[in-house]
Amino acid sequence: MRITIIGTGYVGLTTGVCFAELGHIVTCLDIDKEKINKLQKGECPLFEPGLDELLKKNSMAARLSFSDSYEEAVPNADVLFFCIDTPSGEYGRSNLTNLLAAAKTSARFIQNGVCLVNKSTAPVGTVQKIEETVRNIAPDKDFDVASNPEFLAEGKAVNNFLAPYRIVIGTHTKRAEGALKNVYAPLTEKGVPLISTSIPSAELIKYAANAFLAMKVSFINEIADFCELVGADITNVSTGMGLDPRIGDKFLHPGLGFGGSCFGKDVRALVHRGEEEGYEFKMIKALIEVNSVRYLIALTKLKKHLGSLQGKKITVLGLAYKAGTDDVRDAQSLRIVFELLDLGAEVHAYDPYAMQRFQNIFQRADEVHYASSASQALEGADAALILTEWEEFKNLNLQNIKERMGKSALIVDGRNMFDRTTVEDLGFTYEGVGR
Ligand code: UGA
């Protein structure tokens, strides 16, 4: 099929590249000319494992092209996907300005019979708004609308796309349902389940799924804190819980709070959408509150051993909101480094991929010392604070690190990467989460 993807962020680009990999003829459209120039040269603008190779492969096979012109990219599309950012606006409301602007511009160029699909994460009712927007501009055009939420986790997006747990489509015409079933046929033929629902149900599935995952993380974080009070070990507790298939073993890893561009934004948007209907999401509000103060634990643990942090050299290992990505949006590192600077600490930082993006968005970036390796960053440090579970931190030569670090040799392991006994035997003071 001929598919046009509007927006080349990590969702749009992954979606476009993977649809081409499934055999469709895909055009990816973005108003950012510089980005499109790069993509046309085969350069991948973001760090997403596996994406670069598939981008080159499918561009070479002439199944994938890039354009900055609606006039060029929209008229031939059988199916058009909106993959546009929907940032958090006032009171957590989803800001649909960019999405509806894209719908408006597209409306001028669509052909009869096209299916307009929203893949951007946007509240229940958004597809209806897209339909109204397009209908206003192109009242005589015969088109369908649909919702097809994405479930791509950063760092695993290609794999999540090509081997998904499920595909969700929300439509209100047989023609749109048929078009989307054709788009996904290469995956459903291999046994991937496809759930076909109404448009509001599809829109809500996305929010309910993210809110549930965020709740699981906040839940295990609360249990982890209680473990510390009663001498239990969260690793054993979550293993014991997760073996029950009704609970499942995923998303039970405790830490200093979830981050990233999705969970926080989506749960706030859901609460706001509830309020618009006069409905209060009590559990979701609670998880937001639990997560909002979670990062403070890092500071409490540092102060417990070092007292005042004034003038102390604290090395932050990991700035990305999780391993496998260079994304730092809503990362706990932003809050924690800010607080550390406020408390007068000398902050050193290292991340294998996310340092540049951290410096781009962190307002006090100039006050942080950046190192080119973890061991360099740890030279003379009073404490190592692990914020991202990068594999390379696991492989650090701890014996060597112990010799390089200051007397206190404190490790605050915000991701429970190390085994307490091993680390303590080497002479470190160790603080994990929930054990
Ligand atoms: C999340 C969902 O997992 C995707 O399914 C969804 O498509 C995506 O949001 C989205 O809405 O676009 P993502 O934000 O990339 O994906 O990352 P996750 O792997 O879900 O992690 C989110 C946060 O929770 C990270 O800060 C991570 O460290 C934290 N987390 C996750 C934990 O603290 N513990 C866990 O056990 C799991």
Side-chain angles (χ1 to χ4, degrees), residues 41 92 109 249 299 379 399:
K41 287 187 215 142
F109 303 109
D249 61 354
L299 304 164
E379 194 72 57
Q399 182 83 58

Side-chain angles (χ1 to χ4, degrees), residues 269-330:
L270 186 54
V271 167
H272 184 271
R273 188 69 188 85
E275 281 163 4
E276 284 180 346
E277 300 294 332
Y279 185 77
E280 188 184 7
F281 280 104
K282 295 193 190 69
M283 283 170 77
I284 298 175
K285 278 171 126 174
L287 83 84
I288 293 172
E289 197 187 323
V290 169
N291 200 62
S292 69
V293 290
R294 186 91 203 137
Y295 71 99
L296 294 170
I297 287 175
L299 304 164
T300 310
K301 285 180 185 286
L302 287 169
K303 285 190 212 154
K304 179 176 150 193
H305 296 278
L306 301 178
S308 162
L309 298 184
Q310 180 72 41
K312 298 277 162 43
K313 177 171 174 181
I314 311 293
T315 296
V316 173
L317 293 181
L319 298 167
Y321 77 96
K322 64 172 187 178
T325 176
D326 60 351
D327 201 339
V328 297
R329 284 177 292 171
D330 211 16

Side-chain angles (χ1 to χ4, degrees), residues 141-156:
K141 279 275 154 57
D142 171 27
F143 66 92
D144 291 311
V145 289
S147 165
N148 171 220
E150 55 85 14
F151 303 103
L152 310 177
E154 288 190 35
K156 294 186 183 143

Side-chain angles (χ1 to χ4, degrees), residues 87-314:
S88 230
E90 223 184 350
Y91 309 116
R93 174 206 300 267
S94 222
N95 182 340
L96 302 181
T97 312
N98 296 343
L99 176 59
L100 295 179
K104 223 171 174 172
T105 314
S106 306
R108 291 167 42 213
F109 303 109
I110 54 171
Q111 64 170 345
N112 280 324
V114 67
C115 184
L116 305 176
V117 187
N118 185 38
K119 217 179 223 315
S120 316
T121 300
V124 180
T126 300
V127 171
Q128 195 183 335
K129 285 189 181 151
I130 292 177
E131 182 169 18
E132 286 160 8
T133 303
V134 176
R135 184 87 56 218
N136 273 339
I137 305 218
D140 302 328
K141 279 275 154 57
D142 171 27
F143 66 92
D144 291 311
V145 289
S147 165
N148 171 220
E150 55 85 14
F151 303 103
L152 310 177
E154 288 190 35
K156 294 186 183 143
V158 170
N159 187 50
N160 287 166
F161 194 98
L162 294 173
Y165 296 126
R166 77 305 206 182
I167 295 158
V168 174
I169 60 171
T171 57
H172 56 210
T173 66
K174 282 280 161 214
R175 185 172 63 175
E177 186 187 17
L180 279 171
K181 283 187 170 169
N182 281 340
V183 167
Y184 284 107
L187 294 176
T188 52
E189 279 160 9
K190 284 197 221 152
V192 174
L194 181 146
I195 299 139
S196 180
T197 72
S198 69
I199 290 174
S201 299
E203 290 176 310
L204 188 53
I205 286 169
K206 166 72 190 190
Y207 280 92
N210 269 7
F212 190 81
L213 291 172
M215 192 167 62
K216 251 185 132 177
V217 173
S218 283
F219 178 88
I220 206 66
N221 282 339
E222 280 210 321
I223 298 288
D225 289 352
F226 192 61
C227 281
E228 292 189 12
L229 294 177
V230 296
D233 184 331
I234 191 62
T235 312
N236 296 331
V237 174
S238 60
T239 306
M241 287 169 64
L243 284 170
D244 182 336
R246 293 170 303 173
I247 298 172
D249 61 354
K250 306 281 188 296
F251 278 71
L252 289 182
H253 197 82
L256 299 173
F258 60 77
S261 66
C262 305
F263 281 0
K265 170 175 81 79
D266 293 352
V267 290
R268 284 195 300 275
L270 186 54
V271 167
H272 184 271
R273 188 69 188 85
E275 281 163 4
E276 284 180 346
E277 300 294 332
Y279 185 77
E280 188 184 7
F281 280 104
K282 295 193 190 69
M283 283 170 77
I284 298 175
K285 278 171 126 174
L287 83 84
I288 293 172
E289 197 187 323
V290 169
N291 200 62
S292 69
V293 290
R294 186 91 203 137
Y295 71 99
L296 294 170
I297 287 175
L299 304 164
T300 310
K301 285 180 185 286
L302 287 169
K303 285 190 212 154
K304 179 176 150 193
H305 296 278
L306 301 178
S308 162
L309 298 184
Q310 180 72 41
K312 298 277 162 43
K313 177 171 174 181
I314 311 293

